[in-house]
Amino acid sequence: MKKVLVTGGAGYIGSHTVIELCNDDFIPVIVDNFSNTDDRILDGLHQLLGYSPELYRVDCTDYNALKAVFSTERPDAVIHFAAFKAVGESTALPLKYYSNNIESLLVVLRLMEEFNISDLVFSSSCTVYGQPEKLPVDESCPPQPATSPYGYSKQVCERIITDACAARPALKCALLRYFNPIGAHPSALIGELPFGIPNNLVPYITQTAIGIRSQLTIHGSDYQTPDGTCIRDYIHVCDLASAHVKALRWLENQSAVCEAFNLGQGLGNSVKEVVDTFVRVNESALPVVMGPRRPGDVEQVWADVSKANEQLQWKTERSLEQALKDAWKWEKHLQQAGVKS
Ligand code: WQD
């Protein structure tokens, strides 16, 4: 059984990946500083797994603290999620984003070399593409100038990993470029925890539907798209999680590799389509107003996922409808649990 260090493993995508790792006989070890999650996720993991994975409340920028974890656990591989990820917030707090997202990766890479660990799965983002010139976007598309410090931190991290792999052939990495993760585990025992006003569309929709927010503002209705609203590629978080396990299995059969993979549905849905689908599948009212464009938004982006389909033997199994049902079930679970946003 292979032991996998999961940094950010108590977070949204990290916790769903911990479930999938256990389902495939890996042993996850969670490292998280709990800056963007809390113990409710640990309770959900315990209920789903029947046990509590090893957990270290450590900040990944803290070399000595993380070194102690590597020394104790001696992992066989690392999945590095730990990063700040709010596009809008990153514009307001660029130094926070650059120091945390880049320094944590440098510490992880340094320790992987010191402990002779070769396999790294890195949480990257479709934001590295900016506004692609060609759609669907594939991994060969040249990165465009990032439209936010968050996106640029991911571009810098990809370059750091690429250079590290070139200098240390033993290092093998899968760079997973997420499109728009949405939804929650169908059990509603884990999901995206709301801290403050949501930046992302789907948690804002569910909080509006349940009455926490008074209305949803659609940011921009004058884009060059069929209905005037932005288009994105929305992927169920459970499908995204399973891709990380597939990437680890893929790395087992590779040598000296550093490859990027798009992880999305492989199709685009507009903001209005997401709103209309949510209302339809959940039979829920949703007060919506049209507002101005949001700075930093790209007009439309969706993925060509053929490389991940073929090389990782991975494909999505859940629809937009299913993700929106699971997102709503999670929001209702939070309300029943008395969670304040
Ligand atoms: C989607 C669309 C908004 C809120 C996300 C993640 C980022 C990266 C890429 C992983 C946009 C519109 C939103 C609202 C709205 N993923 N919207 N009203 O900006 O594509 O970025 O995916 O790395 O980390 O943040 O996602 O959900 O913020 O916005 O109209 O109240 O919904 O303008 O067009 P985005 P998002």
Side-chain angles (χ1 to χ4, degrees):
M1 285 251 266
K2 283 185 120 176
K3 186 180 285 187
V4 182
L5 203 69
V6 187
T7 73
Y12 176 39
I13 302 167
S15 57
H16 287 81
T17 301
V18 164
I19 299 293
E20 298 300 327
L21 285 168
C22 292
N23 291 341
D24 201 23
D25 290 334
F26 285 102
I27 302 170
V29 173
I30 296 172
V31 174
D32 207 303
N33 68 1
F34 284 77
S35 63
N36 196 27
T37 187
D38 71 28
D39 286 32
R40 276 164 300 179
I41 297 301
L42 302 179
D43 298 340
L45 285 176
H46 186 96
Q47 289 184 68
L48 287 165
L49 296 173
Y51 86 105
S52 291
E54 283 300 321
L55 167 69
Y56 295 86
R57 294 174 190 264
V58 161
D59 187 309
C60 288
T61 62
D62 182 340
Y63 169 79
N64 290 317
L66 195 57
K67 182 172 185 175
V69 178
F70 273 71
S71 179
T72 303
E73 295 295 340
R74 301 283 168 165
D76 302 296
V78 177
I79 302 179
H80 183 47
F81 288 106
F84 296 136
K85 66 165 176 90
V87 172
E89 185 189 49
S90 75
T91 304
L93 300 171
L95 300 185
K96 172 184 175 182
Y97 272 69
Y98 288 133
S99 58
N100 182 65
N101 293 5
I102 296 169
E103 184 58 30
S104 61
L105 174 67
L106 290 172
V107 169
V108 165
L109 287 172
R110 190 174 154 198
L111 289 168
M112 284 184 72
E113 184 163 6
E114 286 178 25
F115 286 84
N116 197 26
I117 300 164
S118 300
D119 294 5
L120 170 65
V121 174
F122 176 69
S123 168
S124 190
S125 168
C126 67
T127 50
V128 302
Y129 295 117
Q131 176 58 67
E133 289 164 0
K134 179 175 77 72
L135 290 168
V137 62
D138 68 41
E139 294 83 352
S140 68
C141 285
Q144 299 296 315
T147 59
S148 70
Y150 166 75
Y152 189 53
S153 75
K154 288 297 183 183
Q155 286 181 347
V156 169
C157 286
E158 285 201 0
R159 176 60 191 270
I160 289 169
I161 294 169
T162 303
D163 291 349
C165 288
R168 181 191 167 214
L171 183 59
K172 303 181 278 173
C173 183
L175 306 168
L176 303 186
R177 292 174 178 168
Y178 308 161
F179 281 70
N180 288 55
I182 62 170
H185 193 275
S187 67
L189 291 171
I190 57 174
E192 188 170 15
L193 280 180
F195 291 108
I197 300 173
N199 289 292
N200 296 134
L201 176 65
V202 171
Y204 207 108
I205 286 176
T206 58
Q207 288 192 12
T208 302
I210 209 156
I212 295 170
R213 309 289 161 204
S214 56
Q215 64 188 16
L216 170 76
T217 301
I218 293 182
H219 300 319
S221 55
D222 60 347
Y223 287 99
Q224 299 301 311
T225 60
D227 65 18
T229 64
C230 288
I231 294 173
R232 294 289 186 277
D233 184 329
Y234 296 94
I235 177 173
H236 196 295
V237 65
C238 292
D239 282 331
L240 190 59
S242 66
H244 290 72
V245 181
K246 292 285 190 180
L248 280 176
R249 291 297 182 202
W250 175 79
L251 283 173
E252 287 173 340
N253 305 313
Q254 304 300 313
S255 59
V257 73
C258 184
E259 287 286 349
F261 295 94
N262 286 342
L263 299 180
Q265 278 285 9
L267 55 91
N269 286 111
S270 75
V271 175
K272 193 174 179 311
E273 284 171 339
V274 173
V275 169
D276 294 346
T277 304
F278 177 86
V279 170
R280 175 170 51 82
V281 300
N282 293 311
E283 296 174 354
S284 166
L286 198 68
V288 176
V289 294
M290 289 298 174
R293 294 185 175 193
R294 183 174 70 173
D297 275 341
V298 297
E299 178 175 87
Q300 48 189 313
V301 58
W302 67 91
D304 175 331
V305 293
S306 53
K307 184 178 176 185
N309 295 158
E310 290 153 18
Q311 295 193 28
L312 301 186
Q313 299 293 299
W314 166 87
K315 62 180 177 55
T316 54
E317 296 173 0
R318 299 155 181 98
S319 64
L320 173 70
E321 288 80 359
Q322 188 56 54
L324 293 171
K325 283 178 183 173
D326 290 339
W328 182 228
K329 193 176 169 189
W330 169 244
E331 187 66 57
K332 290 186 287 185
H333 165 82
L334 289 171
Q335 185 187 57
Q336 285 153 15
V339 172
K340 293 282 175 280
S341 290

